[in-house]
Amino acid sequence: MSKARKKGTKQSPVQQMSAIPPAQGDFDEVIRLIDSARTRAVAAVNTTLIELYWSIGEYISRKIESAAWGEGVVDQLAAHIARTHPGLRGYTRPNLFRMRQFYETYRGDEKVSALLRRVPWTHNQLILGKSKRAEEREFYLRMATSEKWSSRELERQINGALFERVVMSPVKVAAPLRQLHPDAATVFKDSYLVEFLDLPPGHSEADLQRGLVEQLKNFLIELGRDFCYVGSHYPVQVGGRDFELDLLFFNRALNCLVAFELKVVEFEPEHLGKLQFYLEALDRDVKKPHEQPSIGVLLCATKNHEVVEYALSRAMSPALVAEYQTRMPDKKLLQAKLHEFYELAQEQAALPAIEEKTAAKPRKGRKK
């Protein structure tokens, strides 16, 4: 009869190692590897798909331009693809013509050729269908790429006339902000759309603040990819007194804290004084040694551009004034204004050349 194994028998080193539960971080690292590979795979598939649509668009365009095909042949091509590949989707007559338009719009445009392959086909169709100018298409391609917008967010930004607003109302920043952060003008906006809050006309600052915190995900998307939320009613103490910042964020690209002060009224120059006080408190008591000086944003219901310019011209702190819009702007109206803006710019650019020609033209002498 064999002896029973005694309790407490010493385990081998291998058994001991297998008994130790693995750290959660070990599993998370494997998940990160999987996610990274999947992201690269999706990007590779997208690039291949865009290149395919480009090639098909080029082929159709050349056939039609050379008169080898009439437009009716595209119907036959769509039917042929459906018959030979019954499970293949996306090659209907309208889509084939979109591929042709895609090629004809961007051929020879080397500036955007790489960007086209970095956004999905849905994004390309939205930009192609809703943008009228080459510079507008390039703008949205760059923004969609850098901000990683979903197709829904891209459509929202296009419908919100972001391009028109950026061109006609570039953000105005204080001189210290330009010196400390030369790229700040590309990070911030002159106006922010917060239509997703559904604020009533007579809303208060508390309503605005509460709405932004409750809809924080949407607000962060509107702010930009590099903004991170720190807190609301953020406490600072100076001289034994307690103060609160409305909203505090951190921007990874600028490596600094960004304080938002909310005003449901029109901008007034005295608003800057309080904001500058908060920025000084942040830099002295909150900012880490490796971080850049804090930035302040006054988010107002409305503002007069001339008043803002005067107020910021002598500001000593890195600050800017923006406005929030509770309703989507009239895109057609902004497009009409942008058209006038471009026409005026062209006229002003042509004026020096006309004056130069006039000055160079010899005057006829008087007849004696």
Side-chain angles (χ1 to χ4, degrees), residues 310-331:
Y310 273 59
L312 290 177
S313 64
R314 295 294 180 93
M316 302 303 293
S317 297
L320 63 105
V321 179
E323 64 181 21
Y324 65 90
Q325 297 182 10
T326 59
R327 298 290 180 269
M328 295 290 277
D330 187 335
K331 186 174 174 65

Side-chain angles (χ1 to χ4, degrees), residues 203 263-267 299-303 322-325:
H203 60 272
K263 300 293 178 185
V264 295
V265 295
E266 185 174 4
F267 167 74
L299 196 60
C300 304
T302 59
K303 58 186 173 67
E323 64 181 21
Y324 65 90
Q325 297 182 10

